Amino acid sequence: MRLFRLLAPTLALALSTQLSAAPVVVTSIKPVNDLVSSVMEGVGQPTPLIPPGSSPHTYALKPSERLAAEKADVLFWIGPEVETALVKVTKTLRPSARIIAISAIPEIDLLPARTGGDWERKRPVPKRHDHDGHDHGSSFDGHLWLSPANASMIVRAANTILGAADPANAERYAANAEKAIRRLAVLDTELKAKLAPVRDKPFIVFHDAYQYFEHSYGLRAVGSILVSPEAMAGAKRVHEMRAKISTLGATCVFSEPQFEPRLVQTLIEGTQARTGTLDPLGAKLPSGLEGYEQLLRHLADNLAGCLTAPQ
């Protein structure tokens, strides 16, 4: 009996810890993981399934990553149109697991996918998902995390989902979410001021990953080198882009860290265009909200730097 009294506080503490443990949360790509991490700060840590820098379209999960997914209580991803590497995984999750397709959240702003690498013609706005995510309607641009407004919606959704899955920590999730949303608003104001002077300057990106960032800050991207990120540009495409650089007077042509920059050098040879680098995933940046903030700041800094550099 005396032994039980001695052990009772320890057992009670262990039981309390077990009951209030955070749900097992997995995410798809790093930016999504960063935003969900901001809500879970001090409670738990979500696990990204697709390593930073890997293509969400073609990456093959390792056995350890599949196991992590199968143990998940909640999965956050953009949706099957983006992380095609996770489509099979979603079918193997436990029946009780919550699968949150961010593109199906009603408050998320979806922009239409641009085709052909030439974006001067207006295209219809895509249909929204229905609430169970099955009606995808027209094709949409999946790089939705590069909008601070959408980032705030992801944070709000994570707060709602995690609070329902883990009521014991709901107040902490809510406080974290409000803090993150305030920081995102400050970031948005900062980037608007930084990018306002370059709103009218045309530029070309390596692949079409930045439409949400352009839309947020009124930027003027006029085309992409690659029509598809999975297919390198051929001679015809290079010729078309060189003509576009000259015709529209594109100020900058941007490469990306994971692609060979020599193609960009070939494109700008003999033109007045400059080169810069943009990274839509922030593979080497810190985790959490700080990493997401740095991701957008780096985009703004690199755009502003190249577009305002002296001729």
Side-chain angles (χ1 to χ4, degrees):
M1 188 68 177
R2 182 171 180 273
L3 179 60
F4 176 78
R5 286 198 300 269
L6 290 172
L7 292 176
T10 302
L11 292 172
L13 178 61
L15 180 59
S16 173
T17 301
Q18 184 178 10
L19 291 175
S20 62
V24 177
V25 179
V26 295
T27 63
S28 55
I29 56 177
K30 183 181 184 299
V32 172
N33 197 74
D34 288 343
L35 293 168
V36 175
S37 292
S38 73
V39 179
M40 297 187 71
E41 184 179 357
V43 180
Q45 181 64 43
T47 300
L49 297 177
I50 300 175
S54 299
S55 169
H57 301 291
T58 60
Y59 180 73
L61 265 65
K62 299 175 182 176
S64 59
E65 292 160 343
R66 286 188 172 275
L67 182 60
E70 290 168 4
K71 291 181 177 180
D73 298 308
V74 185
L75 164 66
F76 290 93
W77 66 331
I78 304 299
E81 303 86 350
V82 178
E83 302 99 325
T84 51
L86 297 185
V87 172
K88 290 183 179 179
V89 173
T90 63
K91 302 181 187 303
T92 65
L93 267 61
R94 296 178 299 175
S96 61
R98 295 290 306 274
I99 301 174
I100 310 303
I102 292 168
S103 59
I105 297 171
E107 294 80 8
I108 290 288
D109 181 29
L110 294 182
L111 297 176
R114 301 185 289 202
T115 58
D118 185 342
W119 311 324
E120 292 172 276
R121 298 178 182 177
K122 292 185 177 180
R123 292 181 172 84
V125 176
K127 297 177 182 178
R128 296 204 60 85
H129 294 275
D130 60 16
H131 288 274
D132 62 9
H134 292 304
D135 179 16
H136 300 152
S138 301
S139 176
F140 68 90
D141 184 338
H143 302 85
L144 55 83
W145 64 87
L146 292 181
S147 155
N150 278 348
S152 292
M153 291 300 107
I154 294 171
V155 168
R156 291 187 189 279
N159 172 44
T160 299
I161 296 300
L162 295 171
D166 181 18
N169 289 305
E171 290 186 7
R172 183 63 180 268
Y173 295 137
N176 287 343
E178 287 306 312
K179 178 182 176 182
I181 289 167
R182 287 195 298 270
R183 284 175 56 173
L184 289 169
V186 170
L187 175 66
D188 188 36
T189 300
E190 172 192 326
L191 298 189
K192 283 177 180 174
K194 180 181 290 289
L195 293 167
V198 299
R199 286 169 62 100
D200 62 338
K201 297 192 175 184
F203 61 94
I204 291 172
V205 296
F206 201 80
H207 90 284
D208 190 9
Y210 309 95
Q211 183 180 189
Y212 289 89
F213 197 77
E214 300 159 27
H215 189 262
S216 296
Y217 301 108
L219 301 174
R220 193 186 166 200
V222 294
S224 65
I225 299 172
L226 302 188
V227 174
S228 166
E230 275 70 51
M232 292 303 293
K236 179 182 178 181
R237 184 67 190 153
V238 171
H239 177 75
E240 291 171 349
M241 283 291 98
R242 282 183 61 84
K244 197 175 187 72
I245 291 169
S246 299
T247 302
L248 297 178
T251 304
C252 287
V253 179
F254 290 95
S255 61
E256 293 182 14
Q258 63 269 41
F259 292 106
E260 174 55 59
R262 284 184 297 180
L263 178 58
V264 173
Q265 292 297 331
T266 299
L267 283 175
I268 67 169
E269 186 176 352
T271 75
Q272 296 297 312
R274 298 182 291 274
T275 64
T277 302
L278 299 176
D279 179 3
L281 291 171
K284 296 182 179 180
L285 297 178
S287 298
L289 189 60
E290 179 186 359
Y292 181 82
E293 290 170 324
Q294 287 191 28
L295 170 65
L296 265 58
R297 283 195 177 103
H298 285 186
L299 289 179
D301 288 345
N302 291 341
L303 279 160
C306 187
L307 294 174
T308 58
Q311 293 284 353

